[in-house]
Amino acid sequence: MASVGILAIQGDFEAHSKAVLALGHTPRPIKTANDLSTADALVLPGGESSTMLKLLLDEGLFEPLREACTSGRPVLGTCAGAILLARAVTGPAQESLNVLDMEIERNGYGRQRDSFVTSVMPGTLGGPEMEAVFIRAPLIRNTGPEVDVLVEHEGHPILVRQGPVWAATFHPEMSSDTRVLAAVLDSLLE
Ligand code: GLN
């Protein structure tokens, strides 16, 4: 049973807590730098990345979180969390943790279809098609050579991985399908 630290300063951290519990692990909210030390794995939830960034900087959590994300522990960022993990952010540009070599555009699906639910082929996760919930989702514009693209939708990566750091532009925690979180936590055993 793993202790999964979920950044709990803004956004949909409660949905992630439920998903962690559903897999038989222990969710732990992360609000301060001290909370980071006991987590075996980390989740950065969806929400509003600019607000999260401001709170991280104001509360002195930005640098400790960046260090935790490079400590080799599995990390999953979803939607706004993926934006925080990226090397570069556009639309508009903002600071980021720079722990996953990708350029990501905020709200990259545009206004007309900013939120939608679709089915995607799960790629290397295996199994049948997977539901993917997009909410004002970012678009991954490019990825570096060390990044594995695990799942794509309409020619764009939507689930990527660079070593222990994973990012999804959709919200796996909003579907009953636990494959993404299960794969991230399985990487604890690699
Ligand atoms: N549009 C949000 C942002 O730019 C992300 C949306 C989400 O996390 N569902 O931060």
Side-chain angles (χ1 to χ4, degrees):
M1 193 161 87
S3 163
V4 181
I6 303 170
L7 186 64
I9 54 173
Q10 195 266 338
D12 78 330
F13 47 89
E14 278 174 13
H16 279 286
S17 294
K18 287 185 186 142
V20 167
L21 282 170
L23 285 174
H25 298 285
T26 309
R28 299 231 182 270
I30 291 181
K31 293 181 194 262
T32 68
N34 280 345
D35 300 331
L36 288 163
S37 58
T38 53
D40 301 315
L42 295 168
V43 174
L44 278 52
E48 198 55 44
S49 60
S50 53
T51 306
M52 284 192 211
L53 182 63
K54 184 175 182 312
L55 293 169
L56 287 173
L57 290 167
D58 286 355
E59 286 164 31
L61 195 51
F62 183 87
E63 199 50 41
L65 182 63
R66 207 186 60 75
E67 276 169 28
C69 289
T70 55
S71 64
R73 289 177 267 182
V75 180
L76 170 65
T78 63
C79 206
I83 296 170
L84 291 176
L85 293 173
R87 175 181 51 75
V89 179
T90 61
Q94 67 188 25
E95 201 174 348
S96 53
L97 295 164
N98 186 14
V99 293
L100 206 162
D101 188 6
M102 65 176 175
E103 188 181 311
I104 196 163
E105 181 185 344
R106 296 180 64 199
N107 304 305
Y109 287 88
R111 279 196 184 179
Q112 285 189 345
R113 48 188 307 245
D114 61 354
S115 300
F116 57 99
V117 181
T118 189
S119 286
V120 296
M121 293 306 293
T124 51
L125 293 178
E129 285 191 351
M130 180 168 74
E131 181 181 80
V133 179
F134 292 85
I135 303 172
R136 290 176 292 109
L139 197 62
I140 296 173
R141 286 288 175 198
N142 59 62
T143 55
E146 313 224 316
V147 177
D148 292 324
V149 175
L150 304 180
V151 181
E152 285 183 322
H153 175 59
E154 294 177 345
H156 294 284
I158 61 167
L159 178 67
V160 297
R161 173 181 187 181
Q162 182 175 358
V165 183
W166 303 58
T169 58
F170 58 103
H171 287 270
E173 76 285 1
M174 290 191 178
S175 302
S176 54
D177 192 317
T178 54
R179 269 177 284 179
V180 173
L181 182 62
V184 173
L185 296 180
D186 278 353
S187 70
L188 275 168
L189 308 171
E190 284 173 5

